[in-house]
Amino acid sequence: MANVFAFVESRHGEVRKAGLEAVSAARLLADQTGGGDVHALIAGAPGVAGQAGRLAEVGADVVLVVEHPALDLYNPEAVSATVAERIRNGGYRAAVFSATSQGKDLSPRVAAKLRAPLAPDAIALAVEGDAIVVRHPMYTGKVIGSLRITASPALLSVRLGAIPVTPNAKAGRVEPVQPATDPAAARVKVVEMKEGNTGKIDLGEAPVIVAGGRGLKSADNFKLVEQLADSFGNAAVGATRAVTDEGWRPHSEQIGQTGRVVSPELYVAVGISGAIQHLAGMRTSKTIVAINKDKEAPIFKVADYGIVGDVFEVVPALADAVKQAKAQG
Amino acid sequence: MKIAVCIKRVPVMEVKFAIGKDGASVDETGLKYDVNDFDLWAVEAALQLNEKNAPGEVTVVSLGPDAAAEQLRKALSMGADRAVLLKADKQPADGFAVAEALAAELKGGNYDVIFFGKKSIDSDAQTVGPMVAELLDLPCVTSVFKLDIAGGKGTAMRALEGAAEVLEFPLPAVITVDEGLNKERLPSLKGIMAAKKKPLETKPAQLGSAAVTVARMELPPERGAGRIVGQGAAAVPELVKLLQSEAKVI
Ligand SMILES: Cc1cc2nc3c(=O)[nH]c(=O)nc-3n(C[C@H](O)[C@H](O)[C@H](O)COP(=O)(O)OP(=O)(O)OC[C@H]3O[C@@H](n4cnc5c(N)ncnc54)[C@H](O)[C@@H]3O)c2cc1C
């Protein structure tokens, strides 16, 4: 029986969607490699054990809880040492991390501590014989590599949105775990967390993204993009590098080769030309809509649906129409 | 200050890639190469830090084929002082094997700061910097878009999904650089001339064994050429209908 480990990302004591996806991915691997248990580890300030139920609901058999006041914010050294120790002693077939900013900080540290193989940023997972195979976009998404690991434990990180979270209730026994090193003595300290876009859904988690480009002409006109995003109700706002370079939007909203890589259900590109570096961040979106006044714009080559027209005319009309369609259910 | 920057030779991405005969690599015919974007920002960060704390030395290190000397020369022409090429004709897909070779070179170099780009755009793995930090047992801060180093200490910011962290750390440390930290300087003619005389040492890479291998590479499915629904606001009702009935996203 092959047990599988999952690291659960949380923020201020709340499980992130990425954390639920990591548990789901671990469940999938456990089921495909002989039906072992899923052990999900969550770290946080005292009280984080209260999240165990949510992890059991999506397939965790055992919830490993690390509680310490110095773990309210991410603590790279204490968390990586604790996770590595747990994996080393747990005899796991695989360990799943989220391919988020935090997960991409944590997973290579753990891999190096354990000298264990790590396959990053999976968009799909499969068990092929004695190997775990991870599909991973490379070359700015222009090539998909299948990375193969036969050794145990196999470490991997899963891209946000790649593994659906499905209800799969387990008993979810809680087991406290002591930090492997003193969290208060870590050399690197996260001293503050600044919440951006408070209340708004994050690009990686949003089913719909409305992204704006230089065609919007000014920072102020981005309210059209925001209004369209609001009309969907479940949308986040993204931007091109031309826009973040101008300072119209923060860099954290940039989508592309050097920005975020996203794959929402729907991506609406507003006044975006579709440069290769931008496509690198959004070409895996399920449905793409482009609005651009230039019918030759390269964005139309990847868009499922296009409207050739002026954003200042089309976007407000689209926002109204979407709002109406939503209202009618 | 002694500063090291690890840089990688990567293909220029504005091409259509083809899969090589072995089915597990890209066909290199006709590819052009440059320094990985994020690594250029790392070089710039090192140069600025060195300028603030002169006199000091900036060493650039690359693991790659002989031709990667070209990318090291570019960093030298931007202002780095010396370069080391760890020669490896094939780059393993296992970031840990690469990290071991880089760590072996950097160990004992007494660097105050070791910079990396946040990721390389060919492998897109984002693993090597923190792995090297672990192997050298150094504090590590990843994906930094704001950085201040003074008096043996650093403060940095990095983006999370929908938030940002402020971090503090002591030197020596490993830092991986995200876009937004700076804009890289262009090599000047004087810099290019000076670079020719700067030391570039070549030695074989001490690659570890690779436990992650590439089983296959494929091109992603082409997105079928889409459909222009219409012109201007008049096309909006049709678009919304399609999004509801065909794409089922509303
Ligand atoms: C190393 C490197 C990394 C990069 N990384 C990224 C990245 O991560 N993300 C990214 O986005 N870019 C990136 N870029 C930049 C990229 O090459 C493009 O410059 C950028 O994506 C263009 O942004 P844009 O489409 O908003 O602007 P433009 O290319 O200027 O396009 C604006 C579009 O708006 C249309 N338009 C104008 N007015 C209207 C109107 N009234 N109504 C309708 N349409 C209108 C125009 O027809 C045009 O197609 C990178 C570049 C480099 C060199």
Side-chain angles (χ1 to χ4, degrees):
Chain A
M1 282 249 281
N3 291 346
V4 177
F5 175 93
F7 177 78
V8 178
E9 184 164 335
S10 60
R11 203 176 281 176
H12 291 313
E14 273 278 329
V15 171
R16 304 278 299 171
K17 181 158 174 258
L20 300 177
E21 291 174 356
V23 174
S24 302
R27 183 75 264 160
L28 207 112
L29 285 174
D31 291 347
Q32 287 182 18
T33 52
D37 285 348
V38 168
H39 294 193
L41 184 143
I42 184 165
V48 78
Q51 299 287 302
R54 292 187 66 194
L55 305 179
E57 279 167 23
V58 296
D61 300 280
V62 179
V63 181
L64 306 166
V65 182
V66 193
E67 291 188 330
H68 190 285
L71 291 177
D72 183 40
L73 297 176
Y74 174 56
N75 189 315
E77 289 170 28
V79 172
S80 61
T82 308
V83 168
E85 185 181 81
R86 183 69 208 189
I87 295 174
R88 186 182 291 121
N89 298 329
Y92 299 110
R93 173 65 187 95
V96 180
F97 296 82
S98 306
T100 52
S101 195
Q102 198 185 90
K104 286 179 173 179
D105 182 278
L106 177 63
S107 53
R109 293 174 191 257
V110 173
K113 282 183 199 291
L114 296 172
R115 301 186 165 260
L118 167 63
D121 198 27
I123 54 167
L125 304 173
V127 177
E128 294 178 9
D130 61 350
I132 292 177
V133 176
V134 157
R135 280 168 67 79
H136 163 61
M138 307 167 81
Y139 297 89
T140 67
K142 291 179 154 188
V143 174
I144 310 289
S146 289
L147 304 178
R148 188 168 188 275
I149 306 180
T150 47
S152 271
L155 272 49
L156 48 104
S157 64
V158 288
R159 185 178 284 193
L160 268 170
I163 307 289
V165 177
T166 36
N168 189 344
K170 299 281 166 187
R173 176 166 58 84
V174 173
E175 191 182 307
V177 169
Q178 292 307 311
T181 60
D182 179 6
R187 296 169 296 187
V188 175
K189 290 195 166 63
V190 177
V191 290
E192 192 188 343
M193 202 163 72
K194 295 177 187 288
E195 297 283 347
N197 311 347
T198 345
K200 289 240 173 76
I201 183 166
D202 176 65
L203 280 170
E205 294 181 359
V208 178
I209 292 175
V210 182
R214 200 177 355 228
L216 267 307
K217 305 277 194 298
S218 75
D220 196 38
N221 290 332
F222 247 78
K223 63 177 184 289
L224 293 179
V225 173
E226 284 176 347
Q227 280 159 8
L228 180 53
D230 285 345
S231 71
F232 281 101
N234 53 357
V237 170
T240 64
R241 171 149 143 186
V243 161
T244 57
D245 273 355
E246 294 281 353
W248 299 348
R249 302 296 293 191
H251 176 65
S252 57
E253 289 180 5
Q254 182 178 315
I255 290 166
Q257 177 175 317
T258 51
R260 297 281 301 272
V261 177
V262 295
S263 20
E265 296 290 320
L266 173 64
Y267 189 92
V268 187
V270 176
I272 291 176
S273 60
I276 199 85
Q277 296 91 349
H278 187 75
L279 301 186
M282 46 67 79
R283 60 150 50 90
T284 50
S285 304
K286 298 212 178 56
T287 300
I288 297 174
V289 169
I291 302 161
N292 195 305
K293 69 176 182 193
D294 171 11
K295 69 176 193 323
E296 303 296 334
I299 191 74
F300 287 124
K301 294 216 175 67
V302 300
D304 300 279
Y305 308 108
I307 292 183
V308 178
D310 189 332
V311 295
F312 299 101
E313 182 205 333
V314 177
V315 174
L318 182 57
D320 283 345
V322 170
K323 220 181 287 166
Q324 262 182 31
K326 285 260 175 196
Q328 285 159 13
Chain B
M1 265 186 149
K2 279 191 82 180
I3 305 169
V5 193
C6 294
I7 70 173
K8 187 176 183 188
R9 170 186 175 85
V10 298
V12 172
M13 295 291 162
E14 286 82 3
V15 292
K16 214 168 147 60
F17 287 95
I19 304 301
K21 284 202 191 69
D22 64 355
S25 61
V26 300
D27 180 357
E28 290 179 15
T29 320
L31 295 185
K32 291 194 178 67
Y33 292 84
D34 200 351
V35 180
N36 179 46
D37 302 332
F38 292 91
D39 303 348
L40 284 175
W41 301 318
V43 171
E44 179 63 38
L47 296 175
Q48 286 184 17
L49 184 58
N50 191 42
E51 282 155 5
K52 231 172 60 183
N53 294 282
E57 188 185 57
V58 175
T59 302
V60 278
V61 181
S62 186
L63 185 147
D66 281 326
E70 196 186 330
Q71 280 66 48
L72 287 168
R73 289 274 176 226
K74 178 168 177 175
L76 292 174
S77 63
M78 288 168 72
D81 300 293
R82 61 180 203 100
V84 180
L85 173 60
L86 304 176
K87 209 182 145 235
D89 292 329
K90 280 260 173 291
Q91 304 231 30
D94 190 342
F96 187 65
V98 175
E100 281 190 303
L102 291 171
E105 171 60 27
L106 295 164
K107 192 178 176 173
N110 287 317
Y111 296 106
D112 298 288
V113 185
I114 301 173
F115 283 107
F116 287 84
K118 142 175 139 169
K119 67 173 178 183
S120 46
I121 59 176
D122 54 352
S123 63
D124 205 351
Q126 207 168 324
T127 57
V128 173
M131 284 176 167
V132 167
E134 285 294 335
L135 290 170
L136 299 177
D137 191 24
L138 289 175
C140 174
V141 184
T142 57
S143 305
V144 167
F145 71 90
K146 232 175 138 176
L147 178 65
D148 182 31
I149 288 181
K153 286 196 303 232
T155 308
M157 277 182 85
R158 64 195 214 101
L160 303 179
E161 291 73 22
E165 285 175 344
V166 183
L167 302 106
E168 286 175 2
F169 56 97
L171 300 189
V174 172
I175 295 167
T176 80
V177 172
D178 201 349
E179 193 186 7
L181 183 63
N182 56 45
K183 282 256 177 280
E184 78 277 13
R185 67 193 68 185
L186 295 172
S188 62
L189 190 57
K190 206 172 132 210
I192 293 168
M193 296 312 287
K196 292 185 176 155
K197 296 197 199 90
K198 290 179 179 172
L200 194 162
E201 188 190 346
T202 302
K203 45 181 140 172
Q206 315 263 308
L207 281 170
S209 64
V212 180
T213 52
V214 180
R216 308 179 277 285
M217 275 192 194
E218 304 151 66
L219 300 181
E222 292 273 344
R223 290 196 80 96
R227 141 159 55 133
I228 299 289
V229 176
Q231 314 271 329
V236 164
E238 176 68 7
L239 173 64
V240 171
K241 210 173 86 196
L242 289 167
L243 291 179
Q244 280 180 303
S245 59
E246 198 175 80
K248 300 193 174 16
V249 287
I250 302 186

